[in-house]
Amino acid sequence: MREKTERIVREWSDSCDAEVSIAVLGGAWKPSILTLLGEHEVLRFGELGRLLQDPTSRVLTRQLRELEEDGLITRTVYRQVPPKVEYRLSELGVSATPLLGELTRWGTQYAEQQRSSLNRVPSPSE
Amino acid sequence: MREKTERIVREWSDSCDAEVSIAVLGGAWKPSILTLLGEHEVLRFGELGRLLQDPTSRVLTRQLRELEEDGLITRTVYRQVPPKVEYRLSELGVSATPLLGELTRWGTQYAEQQRSSLNRVPSPSE
DNA sequence: CCGGATCCGCTGAGATACTG
DNA sequence: CAGTATCTCAGCGGATCCGG
């Protein structure tokens, strides 16, 4: 578990475990990574990079390491030349897929509603 | 809508609306604020501060303003001395409560699992 | 191919002090 | 009571370059 995650897990023993979820799932590319791994079962580092439209490898590596530390994904290294590394969801990662679905659903609905209200004439009071 | 939220809503038109949800719900105290407002219907600034165990008023104000800008809560000001300001969930805020419930549920489960695995003897490989 | 090392700007959270 | 005004400080995301 990452130090950041651990800190949050310890401090918020009650009352706001939602912050735990956000600490683990929040972060650049993380929801996308988990969603893609849920769809493809297994992906290599380069495949993930392409599917995500090329984050810098530095950043992608960090996110993958954090997800691994937090126990959501597994990393399999094949010691060969050229190297080959596979990522897939762990059991814990699989357990998060329904939640990711809910996050996506609500986010989509929110975005649509906000977009449509942008097109309406602002009320006189604002 | 906050500029940050708007940026995310525009950029991720497809494929990762989960980031939208996290952008809106993530942030210090926000899940707690929304949960409390869901339970109490209406709360004043000071009441919120006490229930949250005293974040600095600077921080609490910022979070409330952001939630308001993103359309999740409403702010009612009574022009009187001493001042009185009430916060409650908007319709959009109410629509997020099931999601918050899911976040809390998964977070709780995750925290418990991680805590119990901390107590187990680490495997020889680590 | 899959990274590690280094540097860097920005935002978010908090401490502290003050106010209509 | 319900904030605002300043300041600080850490950490994240990203760019760039290097390496087994």
Side-chain angles (χ1 to χ4, degrees):
Chain A
M1 194 163 39
R2 284 187 297 157
E3 198 205 315
K4 174 183 172 182
T5 309
E6 190 168 344
R7 204 185 320 138
I8 294 177
V9 165
R10 292 195 190 286
E11 290 173 6
W12 298 77
S13 54
D14 43 23
S15 91
C16 205
D17 292 324
E19 303 228 5
V20 174
S21 299
I22 293 176
V24 174
L25 303 177
W29 313 102
K30 282 186 188 176
S32 301
I33 292 170
L34 295 171
T35 303
L36 286 171
L37 287 180
E39 293 167 355
H40 293 77
E41 292 289 317
V42 49
L43 286 171
R44 299 180 55 177
F45 182 86
E47 292 174 322
L48 269 169
R50 259 166 276 131
L51 290 169
L52 295 171
Q53 300 167 38
D54 295 305
T56 61
S57 67
R58 158 77 160 74
V59 171
L60 181 54
T61 301
R62 264 185 57 100
Q63 305 309 317
L64 289 168
R65 287 294 191 284
E66 292 181 2
L67 288 171
E68 190 192 1
E69 280 187 66
D70 283 338
L72 296 196
I73 66 176
T74 64
R75 178 166 175 267
T76 313
V77 181
Y78 296 86
R79 295 224 144 273
Q80 61 184 42
V81 180
K84 175 177 165 185
V85 179
E86 289 179 346
Y87 294 92
R88 60 195 84 203
L89 292 184
S90 67
E91 218 175 295
L92 214 50
V94 172
S95 83
T97 54
L99 177 56
L100 273 167
E102 293 301 313
L103 284 165
T104 303
R105 218 180 324 280
W106 190 85
T108 304
Q109 178 195 320
Y110 177 87
E112 279 173 9
Q113 168 150 357
Q114 293 302 92
R115 264 193 286 266
S116 70
S117 69
L118 280 181
N119 297 335
R120 280 204 298 274
V121 182
S123 71
S125 61
E126 34 190 12
Chain B
M1 193 163 38
R2 284 186 298 157
E3 198 204 314
K4 175 183 172 181
T5 309
E6 189 167 343
R7 205 186 321 138
I8 294 177
V9 166
R10 291 195 190 287
E11 291 174 4
W12 298 77
S13 53
D14 43 23
S15 91
C16 204
D17 291 323
E19 303 229 4
V20 173
S21 299
I22 293 175
V24 174
L25 303 178
W29 313 102
K30 282 186 188 175
S32 301
I33 291 170
L34 294 170
T35 302
L36 285 172
L37 287 179
E39 292 167 354
H40 292 78
E41 291 290 316
V42 50
L43 286 171
R44 298 179 57 177
F45 182 85
E47 292 175 321
L48 268 169
R50 256 165 278 130
L51 290 169
L52 296 171
Q53 300 169 36
D54 295 304
T56 62
S57 66
R58 160 77 160 73
V59 171
L60 181 54
T61 301
R62 264 184 57 100
Q63 307 307 317
L64 289 168
R65 287 290 193 286
E66 292 180 3
L67 288 171
E68 190 193 1
E69 281 186 66
D70 283 339
L72 296 195
I73 66 176
T74 63
R75 178 166 174 267
T76 313
V77 181
Y78 297 87
R79 296 225 144 273
Q80 62 185 40
V81 179
K84 175 177 165 185
V85 179
E86 287 178 347
Y87 294 92
R88 59 195 85 204
L89 291 183
S90 67
E91 217 174 298
L92 214 50
V94 171
S95 83
T97 54
L99 178 56
L100 274 167
E102 293 301 313
L103 284 166
T104 303
R105 218 179 323 280
W106 192 85
T108 303
Q109 178 196 320
Y110 177 86
E112 279 173 8
Q113 168 148 0
Q114 293 303 92
R115 264 192 287 266
S116 70
S117 69
L118 280 181
N119 295 336
R120 279 204 300 272
V121 182
S123 72
S125 62
E126 33 189 10

